[in-house]
Amino acid sequence: MSPTEQLLTSVQMARFVAQGFLRLDGVVPQELNDDAIAALSREGIPEVPYGTPLAGAFAEDTFIHRLLALPAVAGALESLVGPHPTVDHHAVHVREPHEGNAQALHADAIIDVRPDAFDVQLMYYPHEVTPDMGGTLSVPGSHLRRVNETDIGRVQNLRGQTRLTCPAGTVVLVHHGIWHGGRRNDTERRRYMYKLRFNPTVPQVRLWDTSDLHDPAVTEELSTAFPWYEQATARLEIHNRVLLWRALTGDDTFDIGYWVTRVRNRPALRSHA
Ligand SMILES: O=C(O)CCC(=O)C(=O)O
């Protein structure tokens, strides 16, 4: 591990697989937050073509380059997407003062059922987000319930949803499938969020600090239920998490409650009859 890297642990990775996000509260120094707000409100962000290698995509003096170099951010990204990701796209999301409406609940992609890969979206909030500022609403544990864009837009509220409030300098890394939407900003102040999507270019296998791989807390994290699941659908989510955990660890024997082993049993394929 490079001395500047703070790789995630297996327990943190399992939490990401179960919840679909990782929150890094207040990890960005205030000076960088100030520079980011100045850039976002004045010149905006540079154009980056789809698929540009991250290394070299952003000049060293940009807030984006400096943000991605922070050890907590760099370590988490390396753990999730590995070295040398490419930039899918990036954007500035603004909730205007007294905007009067909220964004519909959505996922940022068409239905994307890749079983062995996922993109990560970095969401950066350079200033404090208070409850009335239109923080991003998201639904923990929704990322493996694949939906097409705003097909879930008619859903107004789900038990267990979270509406982000956070200190300045917070970064949230989300799985591309997470259900989310910007809420209504009822304040006098513009609410900024900078979002950057990464595509991995290496297999996402054991990229984190695996020294705690067999900690029982890993299975506990992967078994987490969320209030919007009914009992039977929780099983489906756990099944899907096991598939992702198998892909991430390369361990095809991992299971919880026999869910994947049972449906992978194909007697005809091993019959000698
Ligand atoms: O502004 C927000 O809080 C979320 C916006 C967003 O993520 C989106 O438009 O996809």
Side-chain angles (χ1 to χ4, degrees), residues 46-116:
E47 265 193 41
V48 181
Y50 287 114
T52 301
L54 178 62
F58 301 106
E60 283 189 14
D61 60 349
T62 57
F63 83 86
I64 304 168
H65 182 94
R66 291 157 61 206
L67 171 68
L68 299 178
L70 294 172
V73 176
L77 280 171
E78 171 114 16
S79 303
L80 291 163
V81 292
H84 321 303
T86 52
V87 176
D88 183 297
H89 71 282
H90 68 161
V92 186
H93 293 268
V94 178
R95 303 303 301 166
E96 295 291 355
H98 299 291
E99 202 173 13
N101 55 32
Q103 204 180 32
L105 197 61
H106 64 282
D108 274 345
I110 58 166
I111 295 174
D112 177 347
V113 291
R114 284 175 289 171
D116 55 354

Side-chain angles (χ1 to χ4, degrees), residues 14-158:
R15 194 171 304 146
F16 181 90
V17 168
Q19 304 196 352
F21 68 91
L22 172 78
R23 245 183 102 142
L24 302 169
D25 276 55
V27 288
V28 184
Q30 193 52 43
E31 189 202 346
L32 182 46
N33 291 329
D34 293 340
D35 290 351
I37 294 170
L40 294 177
S41 54
R42 285 195 224 123
E43 67 263 33
I45 53 174
E47 265 193 41
V48 181
Y50 287 114
T52 301
L54 178 62
F58 301 106
E60 283 189 14
D61 60 349
T62 57
F63 83 86
I64 304 168
H65 182 94
R66 291 157 61 206
L67 171 68
L68 299 178
L70 294 172
V73 176
L77 280 171
E78 171 114 16
S79 303
L80 291 163
V81 292
H84 321 303
T86 52
V87 176
D88 183 297
H89 71 282
H90 68 161
V92 186
H93 293 268
V94 178
R95 303 303 301 166
E96 295 291 355
H98 299 291
E99 202 173 13
N101 55 32
Q103 204 180 32
L105 197 61
H106 64 282
D108 274 345
I110 58 166
I111 295 174
D112 177 347
V113 291
R114 284 175 289 171
D116 55 354
F118 58 88
D119 293 343
V120 164
Q121 306 213 86
L122 174 148
M123 296 177 170
Y124 165 46
Y125 302 84
H127 54 72
E128 182 189 12
V129 181
T130 59
D132 50 358
M133 275 179 91
T136 310
L137 179 137
S138 64
V139 183
S142 57
H143 54 302
L144 302 179
R145 185 76 62 96
R146 311 304 169 121
V147 293
N148 188 38
E149 300 276 357
T150 50
D151 277 359
I152 39 160
R154 72 184 81 109
V155 175
Q156 296 296 312
N157 290 293
L158 277 166

Side-chain angles (χ1 to χ4, degrees), residues 13-14 16-17 79-81 115-118 203-208 210 213 222 241-251:
M13 282 298 292
F16 181 90
V17 168
S79 303
L80 291 163
V81 292
D116 55 354
F118 58 88
Q204 287 158 289
V205 181
R206 294 187 302 276
L207 297 170
W208 64 95
T210 55
L213 191 56
L222 292 170
R241 291 176 200 165
V242 170
L243 291 183
L244 183 52
W245 193 249
R246 285 183 174 201
L248 289 174
T249 56
D251 175 4

